Amino acid sequence: MAAARPISDSTAPLTIETSMPFTAHIVDPPSRDVATTPAELVAFFRDMSLMRRMEIAADSLYKAKLIRGFCHLYDGQEAVTVGMEAAITRKDSIITAYRDHCIYLSRGGDLVTAFAELMGRQVGCSRGKGGSMHFYKKDANFYGGHGIVGAQVPLGCGLAFAQKYRKEDSVSFALYGDGAANQGQLFEALNISALWKLPAILVCENNHYGMGTAEWRAAKSPSYYKRGDYVPGLKVDGMDVLAVKQACKFAKEHAIANGPIVLEMDTYRYHGHSMSDPGSTYRTRDEISGVRQERDPIERVRKLLLAHDLATPAELKDMEKEIRKEVDTAIAKAKESPMPDVSELFTNVYVKGFGVESFGADRKELRATLP
Amino acid sequence: MAAAAASLHATAAVSKSRSAAIPQVATSVRVAAASRGPGSARARGGLVVARAAAVKDEAADTNSGGHEVLMFEALREAMIEEMTLDPTVCMIGEDVGDYGGSYKVSKGLSEMFGDLRVLDTPIAENSFTGMGVGAAMKGLRPVVEGMNMGFLLLAYNQISNNCGMLHYTSGGQFKIPIVIRGPGGVGRQLGAEHSQRLESYFQSIPGLQMVACSTPYNAKGLLKAAIRSENPVVVFEHVLLYNMKEKIPDEDYICCLEEAEMVRPGSQVTILTYSRMRYHVMQAVKTLVNKGYDPEVIDIRSLKPFDLHTIGNSVKKTHRVLIVEECMRTGGIGASLRSAIIDNFWDELDAPPMCLSSQDVPTPYAAPLEDATVVQPPQIVAAIEEICR
């Protein structure tokens, strides 16, 4: 059909085959044919490009010492969150570990509050008190943002429990990495979820490295989708946003009807584990550039858009320029926000204060006034 | 499940009938749980009695006389009342359902509320505590039971990082109205690993509140208040106190979470204690009174934060302090309390504040050794004689 100009916003159905078939464990895999629309593909391109740019900008901000501490970047893995979001609603819950910036964006978070939080400013999404590893968005059912590896998975199963308790007909996605997959609490939580038939979906974002340790050195069985044993699993090409969408849609239907399921997303991170890790001492630069050339999620969608004549290269380039500007504007706005006031130190420790404050080492520890 | 649906609709009806039956009692503004938002079911459901110790006698006189319960029955009553009042309250723990709880605190609850609200878990403290926190983030009010407090060490990460800190790190977005309860303390020759006192380990966790109950009256009141509180509360019970008998009021009441209890007013020396040691103290007090001393005994109840108002007023009166606790000496509750008293009430003190704690040893199995681990009444008597010299 003739291409629509300017960039296609058509919602006419389009079926595209995933790059690879799904590998399944004790369940029948979904079809490789994914239903999508031109508008959706364009949105995928836009969203992933925005995330990519945000993470690269965060890299620069970190090197400029505006972001401190730990900063774990998601570039390379964008397809996982974008594909997941396309398959579910905001009523479904998502919880993840510390590589959470892009998922926050996916769930409706905005660039300004994201950058502000990274820089520890007042308008940050956690008022500057959380930092990179603690992004949350309650109204979008995004439960963060957790620093301790694996601890978010029992939380995620608890979310699923609450959903079942309240008969909400929605599911919870608990994301974790290949490193966290070896944590005992995962298996504990999976056992309980299977016993109580909770609508929990455990998603292993397998980027093949647990910080500096490759998966073959950390896991006797790196088939993470099979680790559920009695729980069904699906292995997905995590760099193919359409495959991710299909798998998450399938998983949601399964979880509501039958209880927990494990998804393994085969993905890759271009940056090191965090900004403190160069990412090249345990893997070769050739490997990184190889993945970038052959499996990059954004390039894949770009090729699809061009192949199906839904956009021209120039239009996509313009979109990327716009996105760059958008990110720069957001950073400038975030920089304007001041640091939190010192009194913020004591707010939100408890839901309601009870008149006790704690002070630094040189002042009184507890305070009480006698009449 | 049918049970959950039924109790969701029953909430309003229960509240109405309750408030009609109870005579008006003046409430103190310091009762945190009473000051709920307009939309809350609990604001409508029943009056609360403030200043538990002070009004205790009045309550016993003004109503039909109350009823006698054992401590575990009082806790059970608290659970039943709160679960009836609020359908989001659920109970998670090992053997709490069919078995009825290892100390019978949840006996019959599974039949009453169904297995979606009283949940038997596998032996997986780390994950089911984490699941409790996750459920709390999403609006439920779980009560997580550790069969023995010591087992909750396996869940320390969840209690410290997620339970205590999520309200802060999310900038106030999520609240974690979870209650973690269970028996701890030194029992009768249970061995070292089953005789742990975790209050000293948890006291530094920011964002957590801790209370220790010691009588059926305050056990029921504190557990109810803890369930109603929007903050995570750890309720420390004691293995040896579950069969304590006491008469408690028939009407709905709670105890303020941050308040200490005046057990015996006095004028000569302040004894601060909590949980089982309260009874050792009162036994020592009998001897002391015979010897002519007049000690003031306060059960601090609130381990985090300390009720420095009550404690301070007492120190101002007596000028001498003895702390008697079951915690280990190193880094225990007594250590923090002594520090707080010195910081705040130094000018009032006529003698150094003394602290009697358990020995810094794993609790031995043999009976005479176990007895020597914890503080015994003769030691308390000797300490008071020393302070008052």
Side-chain angles (χ1 to χ4, degrees):
Chain A
M1 89 185 175
R5 288 284 176 266
I7 265 192
S8 181
D9 58 358
S10 158
T11 51
L14 186 56
T15 308
I16 298 184
E17 204 191 36
T18 63
S19 58
M20 281 171 44
F22 298 103
T23 326
H25 170 69
I26 62 172
V27 73
D28 290 325
S31 152
R32 275 179 76 177
D33 295 319
V34 186
T36 181
T37 70
E40 186 177 61
L41 284 176
V42 172
F44 284 165
F45 182 85
R46 186 172 204 291
D47 291 341
M48 290 198 284
S49 301
L50 187 67
M51 290 173 187
R52 179 67 58 89
R53 185 94 309 261
M54 173 176 80
E55 296 295 71
I56 293 176
D59 176 305
S60 309
L61 287 174
Y62 191 90
K63 288 176 175 143
K65 293 206 196 292
L66 282 162
I67 301 177
R68 312 305 300 271
F70 292 126
C71 187
H72 308 82
L73 300 178
Y74 201 69
D75 53 319
Q77 301 183 208
E78 298 91 351
V80 176
T81 183
V82 170
M84 185 182 289
E85 205 58 51
I88 63 177
T89 71
R90 289 281 159 79
K91 285 211 160 90
D92 299 305
S93 306
I94 298 183
I95 192 169
T96 185
Y98 41 74
R99 213 174 291 280
D100 55 352
H101 311 160
C102 298
I103 301 173
Y104 172 71
L105 235 54
S106 238
R107 286 259 102 180
D110 68 295
L111 288 171
V112 178
T113 53
F115 283 118
E117 185 61 35
L118 288 173
M119 295 192 278
R121 307 296 171 106
Q122 262 180 30
V123 306
C125 52
S126 296
R127 316 244 272 239
K129 304 210 280 204
S132 162
M133 298 187 284
H134 299 285
F135 280 30
Y136 307 87
K137 197 168 201 309
K138 184 174 177 186
D139 56 10
N141 279 313
F142 176 50
Y143 293 86
H146 297 273
I148 303 297
V149 166
Q152 76 278 9
V153 177
L155 287 183
C157 294
L159 298 174
F161 170 67
Q163 283 169 325
K164 177 168 181 151
Y165 191 98
R166 301 185 125 159
K167 302 181 168 60
E168 279 181 11
D169 215 24
S170 50
V171 297
S172 291
F173 287 83
L175 276 59
Y176 59 98
D178 47 293
N182 301 315
Q183 273 269 313
Q185 50 189 323
L186 250 81
F187 299 95
E188 292 179 22
L190 202 56
N191 178 40
I192 298 180
S193 304
L195 268 172
W196 296 350
K197 249 179 110 181
L198 302 181
I201 299 165
L202 268 64
V203 182
C204 179
E205 292 183 287
N206 182 8
N207 57 25
H208 308 282
Y209 295 93
M211 199 162 82
T213 306
E215 62 179 329
W216 59 270
R217 283 179 54 214
K220 185 75 178 165
S221 160
S223 304
Y224 300 107
Y225 70 107
K226 282 192 195 162
R227 289 266 197 102
D229 185 21
Y230 40 81
V231 170
L234 205 64
K235 184 164 169 169
V236 185
D237 178 3
M239 305 298 250
D240 179 354
V241 65
L242 291 167
V244 173
K245 175 186 168 186
Q246 186 84 320
C248 292
K249 183 160 170 288
F250 173 78
K252 177 171 172 173
E253 282 159 16
H254 184 279
I256 288 183
N258 304 323
I261 181 170
V262 178
L263 295 179
E264 181 187 333
M265 304 285 179
D266 187 345
T267 182
Y268 200 84
R269 53 165 164 83
Y270 297 139
H271 269 88
H273 163 74
S274 72
M275 288 303 299
S276 322
D277 167 35
S280 50
T281 56
Y282 46 86
R283 50 185 192 171
T284 62
R285 291 194 197 279
D286 282 343
E287 180 189 292
I288 305 172
S289 53
V291 175
R292 209 189 269 274
Q293 262 174 345
E294 275 157 49
R295 298 179 66 207
D296 184 82
I298 301 178
E299 290 313 304
R300 175 166 290 162
V301 176
R302 190 198 301 268
K303 285 190 191 116
L304 276 173
L305 289 171
L306 297 176
H308 289 261
D309 214 12
L310 303 173
T312 67
E315 284 165 330
L316 294 178
K317 268 253 149 2
D318 283 342
M319 192 185 276
E320 285 175 311
K321 279 204 201 111
E322 245 181 73
I323 285 171
R324 214 191 170 109
K325 225 168 52 170
E326 196 182 327
V327 168
D328 289 340
T329 314
I331 294 178
K333 186 123 197 286
K335 279 183 183 166
E336 283 171 22
S337 171
M339 293 284 183
D341 186 67
V342 175
S343 63
E344 271 291 304
L345 183 63
F346 303 111
T347 59
N348 306 129
V349 181
Y350 295 96
V351 172
K352 253 196 308 237
F354 43 73
V356 176
E357 298 169 41
S358 51
F359 296 85
D362 57 338
R363 296 162 71 187
K364 291 186 182 176
E365 201 178 328
L366 294 164
R367 185 163 72 185
T369 355
L370 298 180
Chain B
M1 293 198 76
S7 44
L8 263 163
H9 296 303
T11 306
V14 168
S15 311
K16 279 194 203 118
S17 62
R18 230 171 238 231
S19 34
I22 293 161
Q24 291 296 312
V25 174
T27 58
S28 154
V29 293
R30 282 186 69 216
V31 177
S35 50
R36 302 228 148 251
S40 160
R42 279 183 294 290
R44 303 188 296 275
L47 273 304
V48 291
V49 177
R51 297 208 177 269
V55 300
K56 193 171 143 191
D57 294 323
E58 299 158 32
D61 292 337
T62 53
N63 65 31
S64 59
H67 56 288
E68 221 172 37
V69 288
L70 301 177
M71 167 93 86
F72 74 87
E73 290 169 340
L75 292 163
R76 191 171 160 268
E77 274 183 24
M79 287 302 311
I80 292 175
E81 285 172 23
E82 292 305 302
M83 286 180 78
T84 309
L85 211 56
D86 185 343
T88 62
V89 179
C90 52
M91 201 169 170
I92 302 177
E94 294 158 10
D95 280 329
V96 296
D98 292 347
Y99 193 84
S102 53
Y103 291 95
K104 293 179 280 188
V105 171
S106 55
K107 188 145 182 270
L109 261 61
S110 185
E111 287 80 6
M112 283 179 73
F113 297 105
D115 59 6
L116 190 61
R117 293 188 70 192
V118 182
L119 301 135
D120 276 331
T121 65
I123 306 175
E125 283 80 6
N126 195 0
S127 53
F128 72 68
T129 308
M131 286 177 71
V133 175
M137 280 173 97
K138 206 150 167 46
L140 299 189
R141 301 182 91 91
V143 177
V144 174
E145 175 179 298
M147 191 182 270
N148 186 289
M149 268 287 170
F151 306 160
L152 290 179
L153 285 174
L154 286 155
Y156 199 105
N157 175 60
Q158 296 289 354
I159 295 173
S160 167
N161 292 336
N162 292 334
C163 198
M165 299 192 194
L166 270 169
H167 186 65
Y168 191 85
T169 56
S170 67
Q173 284 182 71
F174 295 109
K175 57 183 171 79
I176 318 287
I178 195 176
V179 173
I180 296 174
R181 50 161 290 271
V186 175
R188 297 249 180 274
Q189 298 188 258
L190 299 178
E193 289 169 335
H194 293 75
S195 311
Q196 298 196 66
R197 290 130 275 171
L198 296 200
E199 53 267 27
S200 47
Y201 303 155
F202 289 159
Q203 64 175 324
S204 321
I205 299 174
L208 213 60
Q209 249 187 288
M210 307 197 314
V211 292
C213 57
S214 49
T215 67
Y217 181 84
N218 62 36
K220 181 176 177 185
L222 288 172
L223 184 55
K224 282 167 74 90
I227 293 173
R228 296 181 188 190
S229 167
E230 306 289 15
N231 293 305
V233 182
V234 184
V235 179
F236 290 92
E237 300 155 14
H238 197 286
V239 278
L240 293 181
L241 295 183
Y242 281 121
N243 290 327
M244 273 293 143
K245 196 188 281 197
E246 192 184 11
K247 196 180 238 185
I248 63 173
D250 291 325
E251 74 265 16
D252 193 24
Y253 72 92
I254 64 160
C255 295
C256 180
L257 287 174
E258 296 96 11
E259 202 165 7
E261 187 179 323
M262 178 67 67
V263 182
R264 179 192 190 278
S267 60
Q268 198 174 10
V269 56
T270 300
I271 306 181
L272 302 173
T273 183
Y274 66 92
S275 193
R276 176 196 172 203
M277 285 297 118
R278 169 186 171 141
Y279 296 93
H280 282 209
V281 166
M282 290 315 286
Q283 210 177 321
V285 162
K286 282 193 201 130
T287 313
L288 287 165
V289 165
N290 285 341
K291 289 188 175 197
Y293 292 93
D294 185 27
E296 176 155 289
V297 180
I298 294 177
D299 182 341
I300 62 174
R301 273 188 355 202
S302 176
L303 304 182
K304 185 179 161 94
F306 295 131
D307 179 4
L308 289 184
H309 189 88
T310 307
I311 293 171
N313 278 328
S314 177
V315 173
K316 206 172 160 186
K317 186 168 46 159
T318 67
H319 310 292
R320 289 162 206 278
V321 183
L322 172 68
I323 301 168
V324 180
E325 57 164 357
E326 200 174 321
C327 254
M328 316 290 220
R329 182 155 200 80
T330 304
I333 296 290
S336 304
L337 187 52
R338 205 171 9 180
S339 189
I341 290 172
I342 289 171
D343 282 347
N344 289 281
F345 311 125
W346 175 260
D347 293 327
E348 310 288 346
L349 291 169
D350 285 347
M354 258 184 94
C355 184
L356 293 177
S357 334
S358 292
Q359 303 309 311
D360 284 323
V361 296
T363 312
Y365 167 71
L369 294 181
E370 186 182 69
D371 288 339
T373 311
V374 299
V375 180
Q376 300 294 347
Q379 291 166 298
I380 302 172
V381 172
I384 294 292
E385 288 175 337
E386 167 84 27
I387 290 180
C388 292
R389 203 147 23 112

